[in-house]
Amino acid sequence: MTGHSAAASVNTVLAELFAAAAHGCRDRSPLTQRLLADAAADLAAGGVTSKIMAGSERDRAGTAPGLRFAGAVHRLVLEGRAPGLAKHYPTAGGRPDLPALWDDALPALAEHTGLLRHRVQATVVQTNEPGRSAPLYGGLVVAAQEAAKAAGRHVPFCVRLLEVGASGGLNLRPHHVGYRLGDTVLGDPDSPLVLDPGWTGRPPADLGHRLRVVGRAGCDLHPVDVSTEDGRLHLSSFVWADQLERWNRLRDALDLAAADPVRVEQSPGPEWLAGQLARAERGVLTVVWHSVVWQYVSPADRAMGRAVLADAAAKATPAAPLALLVFEPRRTDDDYRFELLLKLWPAGISLNLGHGAGHGTPFTWDVSPWG
Ligand SMILES: C[S@@+](CC[C@H](N)C(=O)[O-])C[C@H]1O[C@@H](n2cnc3c(N)ncnc32)[C@H](O)[C@@H]1O
């Protein structure tokens, strides 16, 4: 194969990944779908996209090269570097005109080829969905009350929340978020972030009790520091620009994070968890939480994570109980769905609390045994 035809063939592989990513956005983000479909054609033809993706041609599908490209372009728009393209981006006040999108993208891609190439190579796709605070809040209320019942207490436990794979940490303040249920708002009605949790049914608990969170901490392999403009832009760039509801939710969550900062530590989950779980506080329920993380965790980290948790579970007492609360996709016969699962030690409780949309809302409370 000549150098030229070898380059053409890796670009064809990449173009197929872009086309598949475009297909993955169908029905959800026509803007991203169109951008990626046009970029796929441009890649196959050896256009400017192939210069931007130079060095990333052999990246694995799992690293989502198409979404990294779309995120880098979105970030250009958010930074005000692509005014001719911004008119298509609702997150910059624009309105998509899909047939004209690619022609308006080309000048920005040509002007910022080097910057885009650098960003595509230097970033991993990174999201943080604040809507997942809604199932988390409900699950914590259930956990605090179930642990109290098992310990013979009338008052629910206070919670220490430990999040593995916290990204920017936007779900580390579930008690400071409002959750609108008809005429009432659970949690904090004065919060900058008030979610419509879209609940069918209710958590199996007394929602009149306030959730008390006395500690929270998080870790991530690639934490995003949302106290910086760079961190906020990074997270924002991966929200699809025509999903304004999600975008507004992220803005509100970033405002809340600015008012109530929590640092996310850079660490693989199991090591960090082992350190955090080494001390247990009497009168406090320690909750290990993760959402949409498990699929990304290596087999070695999974095994170590299970061992760390089993060790802490064996040491849990009625006065210093431990919970595992997770919101993760689980395979069904023909698809998968996102389920909220709770385990409590030493009570021996193991519940599937319900299932919902991937971003946490809407959610159906439907309790059954887990495992
Ligand atoms: C799809 S994001 C979900 C972020 C957040 N939990 C949420 O629900 O919005 C998955 C996160 O898991 C992190 N992650 C993957 N493997 C990890 C590991 N072994 N230890 C810590 N974090 C990990 C990634 O860096 C990424 O931030």
Side-chain angles (χ1 to χ4, degrees):
M1 207 184 280
T2 64
H4 179 73
S5 59
S9 105
V10 287
N11 273 340
T12 308
V13 174
L14 201 53
E16 281 165 8
L17 288 184
F18 270 52
H23 185 68
C25 306
R26 73 192 184 287
D27 308 330
R28 294 186 291 162
S29 176
L31 181 72
T32 315
Q33 179 182 18
R34 185 63 184 247
L35 180 78
L36 288 175
D38 287 341
D42 187 57
L43 262 174
V48 66
T49 312
S50 54
K51 295 198 179 76
I52 292 167
M53 298 308 293
S56 303
E57 302 94 335
R58 293 175 200 279
D59 289 0
R60 286 179 303 109
T63 67
L67 296 184
R68 285 187 279 134
F69 170 84
V73 174
H74 189 193
R75 184 167 173 155
L76 272 192
V77 169
L78 295 174
E79 289 170 329
R81 295 183 200 246
L85 181 57
K87 62 175 181 270
H88 298 283
Y89 277 68
T91 50
R95 262 182 66 181
D97 172 9
L98 297 182
L101 176 69
W102 189 249
D103 281 347
D104 288 333
L106 280 172
L109 302 186
E111 185 183 346
H112 300 289
T113 303
L115 178 62
L116 288 166
R117 183 169 49 235
H118 166 73
R119 285 186 176 162
V120 165
Q121 285 179 5
T123 38
V124 292
V125 174
Q126 186 61 279
T127 53
N128 196 183
E129 291 299 335
R132 294 178 189 144
S133 282
L136 168 62
Y137 179 87
L140 288 176
V141 171
V142 174
Q145 294 184 21
E146 288 297 324
K149 262 192 254 164
R153 290 168 43 133
H154 295 297
V155 181
F157 274 95
C158 309
V159 165
R160 177 164 75 113
L161 178 61
L162 302 177
E163 181 173 15
V164 174
S167 184
L170 297 182
N171 290 315
L172 277 170
R173 40 191 84 71
H175 52 317
H176 289 159
V177 175
Y179 307 93
R180 193 178 299 288
L181 292 181
D183 294 338
T184 54
V185 179
L186 296 179
D188 182 353
D190 299 321
S191 173
L193 175 62
V194 177
L195 296 171
D196 172 3
W199 283 352
T200 299
R202 292 289 181 264
D206 179 354
L207 295 176
H209 279 292
R210 255 191 44 194
L211 173 68
R212 289 176 303 150
V213 177
V214 293
R216 56 263 153 90
C219 81
D220 200 286
L221 281 180
H222 306 285
V224 182
D225 183 353
V226 295
S227 72
T228 66
E229 180 64 5
D230 181 61
R232 288 190 292 272
L233 273 169
H234 180 63
L235 275 189
S236 303
S237 69
F238 290 115
V239 172
W240 291 336
D242 43 0
Q243 295 193 328
L244 275 185
E245 194 184 328
R246 221 177 131 204
W247 173 258
N248 290 332
R249 204 156 60 188
L250 179 65
R251 306 257 66 75
D252 292 348
L254 290 171
D255 287 348
L256 175 58
D260 175 32
V262 184
R263 197 173 148 264
V264 178
E265 220 171 288
Q266 178 156 33
S267 171
E271 278 118 80
W272 177 82
L273 210 49
Q276 293 289 329
L277 292 175
R279 63 180 175 89
E281 280 173 49
R282 277 183 73 81
V284 173
L285 169 65
T286 298
V287 180
V288 175
W289 153 255
H290 56 81
S291 60
V292 197
V293 171
W294 197 240
Q295 64 197 289
Y296 304 104
V297 177
S298 66
D301 268 3
R302 284 185 181 198
M304 188 176 162
R306 284 196 177 104
V308 167
L309 199 68
D311 186 50
K315 292 177 185 146
T317 65
L322 175 71
L324 172 69
L325 184 64
V326 307
F327 183 64
E328 295 286 348
R330 291 222 303 180
R331 283 216 169 279
T332 59
D333 286 343
D334 50 355
D335 201 2
Y336 62 90
R337 67 179 191 176
F338 291 79
E339 297 185 344
L340 183 68
L341 307 169
L342 170 68
K343 272 188 195 285
L344 270 175
W345 297 276
I349 290 169
S350 187
L351 295 172
N352 182 331
L353 293 174
H355 52 91
H359 294 155
T361 65
F363 185 87
T364 300
W365 295 95
D366 179 17
V367 182
S368 60
W370 172 30

